[in-house]
Amino acid sequence: MESSPSAVVPRRTLSITPASVILVCVAALLAIGLAVLFSASSTAKGGPYAYLYKQLIFLGLALGAGWMVARADLEQLRKFSWLCAGVALLALVLVLIPHIGITVKGSRRWLGLGSARLQVSEFAKLALVFSLAHYLALNQSRLHEFVRGFVLPAAWVGGFAVLILAEPDFGTALLTGGLGMILLFLAGARLRFLLPSIAVALTGFTVLVLHNPNRLRRITSFLDVEAHRGDGAYQLWQAILAFAAGGTGGVGLGNGRQQNSFLPEAHTDFIFAILGEELGLWFTLLVVALFITIFVAGLMHVRRAPNLFQFLLVTGCLLLVCLQAIINLGVVTGMLPTKGMSLPFISAGGSNLLLMGLLVGIIINTSRAWARPRPLLRKRALTEVTG
Amino acid sequence: MSKGFASNRRMLLVASGVLACFGLVALRLVFLHVIDRDDLLKYVEKARRQLVVEHARRGTILDAHGNVLATSRSFVVLGADPEMLRREDEPKWSELARLLDLPPAQVTALLRRGQTASRFALATAGEPAKAKRLRWVKLTDEVEESVYDRVLALGIRGVYGQRDYKRVYPAGQLAAHLLGYVNREGTPVSGAEHSLDLYLKGQDGWIESEKDGARRELAQFRSREVAAQDGNDVVLTIDSVVQHIIEDELKLLAAKYSPHFATIIVSDPRTGAILGLANYPSFDPNHFNQATLDALRDNAVSDIVEPGSTFKIVAAGAALDQGLVTPQTMFDCGKTVINYKGRDRKLPKEDEPFGMLSVADIVAHSSNRGAAQLAMLMGEDKFYAYARAYGFGQSTRFPLGGEVRGILEPPAKWDGLTITRMPMGHAIAATPLQIHFAMSAVANGGALLRPEIIKEIRDSSGAVVRTFAPEKRTQVLKPSTAALLAQLLTRVVTEGTGKVAEIPGFEVAGKTGTTQKLVDGKYVNNRHVASFVGFFPASRPQLVLSVIVDDAKVPGGSAYGRVVSAPAFKHIAEQLIQYYDIQPVRPAAPRFFALNGGAP
């Protein structure tokens, strides 16, 4: 790590900071991801190189974006948070308009030209975190109020969630809504407002699912995978078989068979299953451990946040990574009903990789910017900021 | 846990929630990877493993001279994989139709149907389960190899065939009951096809490999290839010429008498080898499905008849063999009642009135009372033992199976009249093959052999892998008794009931037989089983021949053995003498010594 320009503590060349741990974990995930992606896409249309190159290009873009975010001044950027959120909302609306949004398999999620496509909701998630953190930090002394502390931010979150839901993208909508609620919860919104509204949102969500036969079938078949292995739960069943085929040691990189027309989306949402088959239990556990490490390191890191805005921003970024990972892992291992959600750093897919670049960039940024508190001063400094 | 802007409790709650989720994922992974692994692997194996069976060619069935009786012809089932078809090949479809001799519209329709099904499947590929993709559309059932080569030369991608074999019987109906048939599923149902299946079937080969989710073979994962091992060829003892002779004769008999069934058997007494065996009605194994159930029966082994007078060789042979009588011993065959074991027994009727008859005459003229007295002379138990020794009431161990044992009750179950009736071949039932082999034992110096039908087994390269030696079952009579009985039996033909069958110079020994048929438990006098069983030349027998006709319809007369079967016997014997080039035998003086001297 380079020392930050505004370092309070003397520059140390070799130091293990939480952010550096996160960076190492992310690098490890990317390395594993690229290797498995090459194998998982070997039988996909276009061949493995096409996916590898595409992924490498987006990795480059993500690194660039992350580097830029890491160098920027977050407090300066904060001024643009409403603008960002506005653009994101606009994009979310645009994507719903026929002929502008690109439809794939019945969902209108992409904006783009030619082969370059971006999944709008990925960036909307960041914009939401950004703007929500900004708002909650601005209003931190009034968060116990009903309107300021609950109605407005909840509506803001709800707006994003509903627009994403309309694509339709139930998974991302749930993630976005859930993340918003967690941030509200952490910022100190009152539970007596929060809990009923979560209940209402979940009820509404359930009703929507029940009224969509396709989603409903996914849920019912998820509940009995083996019985539905021929129809509704085919994909999940093939994923489960992939893990079994892998065993503890795996069959070896490049030796997996489930990508051979058995497992749909083997290189994107279900890539973890291919990882499980080719590399086995130790590597799947390693991936989980890496995400846990990122999360724990993130928690340690966020303790040093200088203000509520940055605290919520970094926590939000961290949760975006980890919740998405949890949902993907849960889906692929058959603990959650199937929904399209890519595995951070590993699944093929440019938009998500780009988003991850931005998220990591933000964490690096804060690591550079935040003063390294002196051990003796730490307690006081924290009580100061927490008030 | 954490100190920051959020309350510690809230932060702790969120953090532990996230960590718990990760923990659950890790736990679940352990289950999937390790604990549930074995159960799940079965599905993996099933989904991935592919066994491509390469059919073995079924062995050929040949007659003793190498004529093909049953063989397997290879052909190709032609079809197409609709997903592989290319638009640029479509102009060639009409050429394909021409080669297959099908209307072009039909070929186009078949291929298109497959294509639409497949395209539909691809359109809904989002739900892989619904995508039952059509990978095979059959175009035609049977294509010759030469036509298939030309179809392949057209180079239409996706059109290909699967090789298989079809069983054909080039000689049609010839020896149908011996050969049996193989049904459409390839299961051998009867005859040699069934009982020699072990030799004939060969061993299918296979290619063990893996397939992908679309059931395409992944050749890089081929783990084992086992070539098919073609079946062995079976050479039967049957001679197609003999078989033709007797089947032609059966046709004549059928045309003349339209019997219920008729059986003709020819064998070599010295080895037990069956040279020809045929029944009427018969069937063509190529079209077995058009045959009636009656036609499918091998009557020679699966139907029983009362042997009638042919059975008198048992009583006469047994009495001579034990030295109880000589050919000259006289019996009063005019008696109607005889006291046996303290009871008066009514003797059966004779066809013509007899007075005092010698044993030789009893045989020659087929005296029922004479036969009864011969049996009484030795008693039930001895008589029964000889009948068993002749092979009655037990399996002949016919190699092709499907036999019934016939009926021969032990003396304990006999009633008072059985001792008078069984010697004339009543109150007993036997298969034509049993009767034939009983006579064959007389021809073979008293040794009863097992019927032989398999000459040898050859592997697919033609090398002999197994031969079958004659198998002796029992020594029924002393060789001298057998020779003596053979001489007595020649008198049946020269001066007795079987005169019709006489072939001058060839010493035909034989016995006629006629029994009234049992219908609903009663003997009826207008339906008969007519038989003539004999061998020649009597002094050094080469062939045994039986003609048994069940329920011949003889206009204005009775279907006696001498009327129905003896002429057929003679007709066949004449042809066989010519075919086997059997030399005439001059009556030899020593035989008369034997005749006069009796059994030693």
Side-chain angles (χ1 to χ4, degrees):
Chain A
M1 275 322 284
E2 285 180 49
S3 64
S4 62
S6 56
V8 176
V9 287
R11 173 182 173 141
R12 271 197 274 169
T13 42
L14 265 176
S15 61
I16 301 174
T17 62
S20 67
V21 170
I22 290 176
L23 215 53
V24 168
C25 289
V26 167
L29 287 172
L30 284 170
I32 295 173
L34 284 174
V36 175
L37 174 67
F38 186 67
S39 174
S41 60
S42 62
T43 55
K45 212 171 181 178
Y49 288 100
Y51 281 97
L52 188 67
Y53 291 153
K54 206 171 156 191
Q55 189 79 348
L56 283 172
I57 288 168
F58 271 100
L59 183 58
L61 288 175
L63 285 176
W67 183 78
M68 271 166 37
V69 170
R71 309 295 293 184
D73 185 343
L74 287 176
E75 292 299 326
Q76 287 295 318
L77 278 179
R78 192 176 166 184
K79 291 174 185 162
F80 301 105
S81 62
W82 291 121
L83 182 66
C84 279
V87 169
L89 273 179
L90 185 66
L92 281 177
V93 172
L94 273 180
V95 84
L96 294 176
I97 299 169
H99 306 299
I100 298 178
I102 298 167
T103 311
V104 175
K105 289 179 192 163
S107 291
R108 215 182 288 278
R109 298 180 188 173
W110 290 269
L111 278 184
L113 280 173
S115 63
R117 296 193 300 208
L118 285 181
Q119 195 172 339
V120 176
S121 56
E122 297 291 353
F123 303 100
K125 286 188 280 192
L126 181 57
L128 173 67
V129 170
F130 208 71
S131 54
L132 196 63
H134 177 58
Y135 174 88
L136 293 173
L138 276 181
N139 296 284
Q140 55 182 308
S141 56
R142 303 176 67 180
L143 286 177
H144 57 277
E145 292 175 18
F146 179 62
V147 176
R148 287 228 161 219
F150 176 70
V151 176
L152 289 179
W156 186 240
V157 171
F160 275 85
V162 165
L163 281 174
I164 294 172
L165 197 62
E167 288 180 352
D169 186 347
F170 281 56
T172 308
L174 197 64
L175 174 64
T176 311
L179 180 63
M181 288 301 153
I182 293 176
L183 289 185
L184 270 179
F185 173 69
L186 288 179
R190 292 221 160 160
L191 281 179
R192 63 178 144 137
F193 305 144
L194 216 48
L195 289 180
S197 61
I198 288 173
V200 167
L202 281 180
T203 312
F205 190 81
T206 312
V207 168
L208 268 179
V209 167
L210 289 176
H211 277 84
N212 184 327
N214 199 20
R215 314 272 151 188
L216 186 61
R217 206 173 61 226
R218 276 194 188 177
I219 308 261
T220 49
S221 55
F222 156 77
L223 293 175
D224 188 356
V225 175
E226 205 172 325
H228 291 90
R229 64 177 188 269
D231 46 80
Y234 172 82
Q235 189 177 25
L236 175 54
W237 178 248
Q238 292 299 334
I240 285 173
L241 293 186
F243 289 110
T248 42
V251 296
L253 264 181
N255 279 335
R257 313 277 210 275
Q258 285 301 88
Q259 58 267 54
N260 290 323
S261 305
F262 284 112
L263 180 62
E265 303 296 333
H267 56 289
T268 57
D269 295 349
F270 276 73
I271 195 167
F272 190 62
I274 300 300
L275 193 151
E277 182 181 16
E278 299 201 340
L279 299 175
L281 175 69
W282 303 130
F283 274 85
T284 53
L285 286 183
L286 174 67
V287 167
V288 174
L290 287 172
F291 279 114
I292 292 177
T293 311
I294 289 173
F295 183 66
V296 173
L299 287 180
M300 290 165 68
H301 174 61
V302 84
R303 288 171 65 175
R304 296 195 284 110
N307 56 37
L308 184 61
F309 167 67
Q310 298 207 5
F311 170 81
L312 288 176
L313 180 63
V314 171
T315 309
C317 291
L318 193 61
L319 286 173
L320 264 184
V321 174
C322 293
L323 290 183
Q324 195 180 326
I326 285 171
I327 293 177
N328 178 280
L329 297 177
V331 164
V332 176
T333 54
M335 300 166 76
L336 292 172
T338 304
K339 51 180 73 77
M341 181 89 51
S342 48
L343 185 58
F345 311 113
I346 293 182
S347 287
S351 305
N352 195 252
L353 197 55
L354 218 46
L355 171 68
M356 291 302 146
L358 294 175
L359 299 181
V360 175
I362 288 170
I363 291 171
I364 296 168
N365 180 310
T366 54
S367 176
R368 288 155 53 84
W370 292 349
R372 190 179 300 278
R374 278 174 225 130
L376 285 174
L377 294 178
R378 184 186 278 168
K379 193 166 185 181
R380 216 191 71 197
L382 284 177
T383 43
E384 254 172 25
V385 282
T386 47
Chain B
M1 173 149 189
S2 164
K3 285 180 183 171
F5 294 90
S7 79
N8 270 354
R9 258 190 305 161
R10 291 193 173 194
M11 200 66 191
L12 188 68
L13 195 68
V14 170
S16 46
V18 168
L19 287 175
C21 288
F22 276 124
L24 283 176
V25 167
L27 190 66
R28 173 73 172 162
L29 283 171
V30 172
F31 267 89
L32 290 179
H33 274 300
V34 183
I35 296 171
D36 293 340
R37 183 166 194 243
D38 292 337
D39 292 336
L40 294 171
L41 275 183
K42 278 180 264 170
Y43 293 100
V44 175
E45 172 86 345
K46 209 173 125 194
R48 292 180 180 176
R49 221 165 90 102
Q50 190 184 40
L51 270 185
V52 180
V53 176
E54 191 191 335
H55 291 289
R57 187 179 184 279
R58 190 172 176 83
T60 299
I61 303 180
L62 305 151
D63 82 347
H65 301 302
N67 297 306
V68 174
L69 298 175
T71 189
S72 289
R73 192 165 57 81
S74 77
F75 67 96
V76 177
V77 181
L78 195 75
D81 176 352
E83 283 189 17
M84 301 267 288
L85 294 172
R86 287 179 301 198
R87 184 140 295 173
E88 59 260 39
D89 286 334
E90 286 186 17
K92 298 178 189 165
W93 287 8
S94 56
E95 181 65 10
L96 174 68
R98 202 185 56 74
L99 279 174
L100 300 180
D101 213 8
L102 290 171
Q106 190 187 336
V107 170
T108 309
L110 279 169
L111 294 176
R112 288 240 184 276
R113 195 190 65 194
Q115 270 186 322
T116 37
S118 225
R119 296 240 164 87
F120 174 74
L122 284 179
T124 55
E127 296 291 330
K130 294 281 180 299
K132 277 267 182 230
R133 299 155 97 191
L134 194 57
R135 303 302 302 268
W136 173 256
V137 174
K138 189 162 85 175
L139 289 173
T140 178
D141 256 332
E142 268 179 53
V143 182
E144 299 290 337
E145 293 278 349
S146 57
V147 176
Y148 182 54
D149 287 343
R150 281 192 287 165
V151 168
L152 287 185
L154 283 179
I156 304 176
R157 200 178 75 168
V159 172
Y160 66 104
Q162 294 169 343
R163 275 198 178 68
D164 210 342
Y165 293 100
K166 191 193 175 190
R167 200 68 170 159
V168 286
Y169 303 89
Q173 192 173 303
L174 196 77
H177 288 122
L178 293 172
L179 297 176
Y181 63 93
V182 176
N183 71 10
R184 295 277 180 268
E185 284 78 47
T187 310
V189 177
S190 64
E193 294 279 24
H194 174 73
S195 47
L196 304 180
D197 186 46
L198 197 69
Y199 297 119
L200 291 167
K201 69 181 175 194
Q203 195 140 39
D204 285 349
W206 73 90
I207 296 169
E208 208 176 304
S209 179
E210 279 191 27
K211 61 188 175 201
D212 69 7
R215 300 197 182 86
R216 288 170 298 213
E217 192 201 345
L218 300 169
Q220 66 269 36
F221 299 122
R222 259 187 202 190
S223 50
R224 218 180 325 175
E225 278 187 74
V226 176
Q229 206 158 28
D230 288 346
N232 290 323
D233 292 346
V234 170
V235 183
L236 299 181
T237 57
I238 297 294
D239 186 322
S240 288
V241 176
V242 176
Q243 193 68 29
H244 265 298
I245 292 172
I246 62 175
E247 291 194 14
D248 287 347
E249 192 64 36
L250 277 173
K251 282 186 198 126
L252 293 177
L253 283 171
K256 207 164 167 188
Y257 301 116
S258 47
H260 175 229
F261 78 82
T263 296
I264 299 180
I265 305 170
V266 182
S267 71
D268 183 336
R270 297 159 296 186
T271 58
I274 293 173
L275 303 170
L277 183 153
N279 305 293
Y280 165 87
S282 186
F283 67 103
D284 182 346
N286 293 306
H287 309 289
F288 63 87
N289 47 349
Q290 293 161 18
T292 61
L293 277 180
D294 279 345
L296 292 173
R297 280 180 83 85
D298 183 1
N299 313 98
V301 294
S302 53
D303 275 327
I304 51 173
V305 293
E306 288 200 334
S309 301
T310 53
F311 194 71
K312 285 176 184 151
I313 58 172
V314 175
L320 289 169
D321 201 45
Q322 295 168 82
L324 299 174
V325 294
T326 67
Q328 284 73 39
T329 312
M330 302 299 282
F331 289 92
D332 182 0
C333 297
K335 277 199 272 192
T336 56
V337 173
I338 197 163
N339 189 284
Y340 175 66
K341 292 196 175 166
R343 270 177 63 193
D344 281 349
R345 320 267 174 150
K346 222 178 123 187
L347 290 176
K349 276 191 280 196
E350 298 279 19
D351 286 341
E352 47 186 307
F354 294 120
M356 296 296 286
L357 285 180
S358 68
V359 171
D361 286 335
I362 288 172
V363 173
H365 299 287
S366 196
S367 163
N368 295 336
R369 292 177 185 163
Q373 291 178 61
L374 285 173
M376 289 174 178
L377 208 59
M378 70 190 88
E380 289 101 334
D381 294 330
K382 274 280 178 213
F383 181 68
Y384 173 76
Y386 271 92
R388 292 277 304 176
Y390 269 101
F392 290 98
Q394 49 193 320
S395 160
T396 64
R397 292 170 58 220
F398 182 56
L400 302 185
E403 305 191 76
V404 294
R405 267 191 249 180
I407 302 164
L408 173 64
E409 300 287 6
K413 291 191 176 176
W414 292 5
D415 62 25
L417 282 181
T418 306
I419 189 68
T420 68
R421 298 301 187 271
M422 192 183 281
M424 58 183 274
H426 285 243
I428 173 174
T431 64
L433 193 69
Q434 282 176 327
I435 298 169
H436 179 88
F437 269 83
M439 184 59 88
S440 180
V442 176
N444 187 39
L448 180 68
L449 301 182
R450 180 185 181 189
E452 198 181 310
I453 189 86
I454 315 161
K455 190 176 168 207
E456 61 197 27
I457 308 291
R458 298 180 188 160
D459 66 17
S460 49
S461 68
V464 174
V465 291
R466 190 170 169 194
T467 53
F468 295 83
E471 201 179 316
K472 184 173 162 179
R473 293 169 59 203
T474 47
Q475 184 71 36
V476 187
L477 304 170
K478 298 185 191 79
S480 56
T481 317
L484 182 60
L485 185 57
Q487 290 306 317
L488 294 183
L489 288 171
T490 58
R491 291 188 59 232
V492 172
V493 179
T494 53
E495 53 196 78
T497 52
K499 264 191 92 62
V500 193
E502 186 177 7
I503 307 169
F506 285 94
E507 280 192 337
V508 176
K511 187 77 198 74
T512 55
T514 310
T515 48
Q516 290 170 352
K517 281 199 68 159
L518 265 172
V519 176
D520 299 329
K522 278 184 188 162
Y523 287 105
V524 290
N525 55 14
N526 59 347
R527 303 178 72 180
H528 297 87
V529 177
S531 43
F532 193 96
V533 185
F535 54 89
F536 51 88
S539 49
R540 44 173 176 77
Q542 289 185 35
L543 295 173
V544 190
L545 169 58
S546 304
V547 180
I548 294 169
V549 185
D550 181 37
D551 199 11
K553 278 80 175 176
V554 181
S558 295
Y560 290 126
R562 63 170 180 269
V563 177
V564 175
S565 300
F569 179 96
K570 182 182 178 184
H571 190 219
I572 297 168
E574 282 169 345
Q575 297 173 71
L576 292 178
I577 284 168
Q578 211 162 42
Y579 176 59
Y580 284 108
D581 195 19
I582 297 171
Q583 296 302 312
V585 181
R586 263 169 292 136
R591 295 291 152 198
F592 286 108
F593 287 117
L595 249 177
N596 299 325

